[in-house]
């Protein structure tokens, strides 16, 4: 028996009956089967229900750096978060991955920022500190994040161009 009180066969059978419904609701993409999505959503709901007082995040990653990674689509992440529907599940929005996946990190924020509970930043070129070159207009991105009233954490996830201390000017 599972911690949910049902046998694994019962859970798989219930998931199987939901496949047609998932397809009808547009939950299937070229990269993700309905079964994978329902397993992911079910697992996240289960975890969120047991993580009282904690906030869980899901983070889409680009497939160039992470071949075979399941969640590489920010719109899919939003659909999963909405489907799970738990207040303690949100998006970890990494500007580096948003830019690599879509070519427009600011547009990703505009579309999905309301689901974000944590933001990570790093330039695309060499994955260095913001402003070290690359495709992201961090001044515009930070202004939009602030204008939208984001209250979560913003952290740097990058390889410093030189000494860490010398590359922290983006935090001003």
């Amino acid at each position: 028996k599972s911690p949910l009180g049902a046998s694994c066969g019962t859970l798989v059978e219930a998931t199987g009956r939901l496949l047609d419904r998932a397809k009808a609701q547009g939950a299937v993409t070229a990269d993700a089967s309905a079964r994978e999505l329902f397993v992911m959503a079910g697992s996240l709901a289960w975890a969120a229900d047991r993580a009282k007082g904690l906030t869980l995040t899901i983070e889409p990653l680009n497939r160039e750096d992470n071949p075979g990674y399941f969640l590489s689509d920010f719109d899919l992440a939003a659909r999963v978060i909405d489907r799970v529907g738990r207040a303690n599940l949100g998006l970890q929005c990494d500007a580096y991955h948003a830019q690599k996946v879509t070519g427009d990190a600011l547009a990703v924020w505009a579309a999905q920022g309301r689901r974000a509970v944590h933001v990570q930043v790093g330039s695309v070129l060499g994955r260095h500190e913001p402003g070290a070159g690359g495709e992201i207009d961090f001044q515009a991105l930070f202004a939009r994040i602030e204008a939208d009233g984001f209250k979560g954490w913003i952290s740097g996830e990058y390889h410093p161009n030189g000494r860490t201390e010398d590359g922290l000017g983006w935090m001003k």
Side-chain angles (χ1 to χ4, degrees):
K1 289 231 174 206
S2 76
L4 301 176
S7 70
C8 288
T10 303
L11 291 174
V12 170
E13 190 175 87
T15 301
R17 287 193 307 263
L18 294 172
L19 292 176
D20 289 341
R21 185 173 172 200
K23 291 175 185 174
Q25 292 176 350
V28 180
T29 68
D31 296 319
S33 74
R35 185 177 300 279
E36 291 167 323
L37 290 172
F38 272 96
V39 168
M40 181 181 195
S43 296
L44 288 168
W46 183 88
D49 289 344
R50 283 153 183 78
K52 302 297 184 200
L54 299 174
T55 300
L56 307 179
T57 66
I58 59 174
E59 179 184 15
L61 304 178
N62 78 78
R63 288 203 177 136
E64 182 181 332
D65 296 338
N66 305 279
Y69 185 74
F70 172 73
L71 187 60
S72 63
D73 181 313
F74 284 83
D75 293 332
L76 175 59
R79 288 201 323 262
V80 169
I81 290 167
D82 293 348
R83 187 168 305 245
V84 171
R86 302 302 194 278
N88 63 336
L89 175 66
L91 178 67
Q92 184 163 315
C93 189
D94 187 318
Y96 169 82
H97 289 293
Q99 187 71 25
K100 294 277 284 189
V101 169
T102 70
D104 192 344
L106 188 55
V108 169
W109 179 264
Q112 309 303 348
R114 65 185 171 86
R115 293 177 180 87
V117 295
H118 183 85
V119 175
Q120 290 175 216
V121 295
S123 67
V124 174
L125 184 61
R127 193 155 190 183
H128 296 301
E129 57 270 14
E135 309 163 10
I136 303 171
D137 181 348
F138 282 104
Q139 187 173 7
L141 180 61
F142 290 143
R144 177 66 189 261
I145 290 170
E146 185 175 8
D148 287 349
F150 179 70
K151 302 289 185 222
W153 291 96
I154 299 175
S155 64
E157 183 182 24
Y158 55 82
H159 310 289
N161 232 349
R163 289 178 357 113
T164 299
E165 298 83 1
D166 297 337
L168 297 177
W170 64 270
M171 293 176 39
K172 294 180 184 176

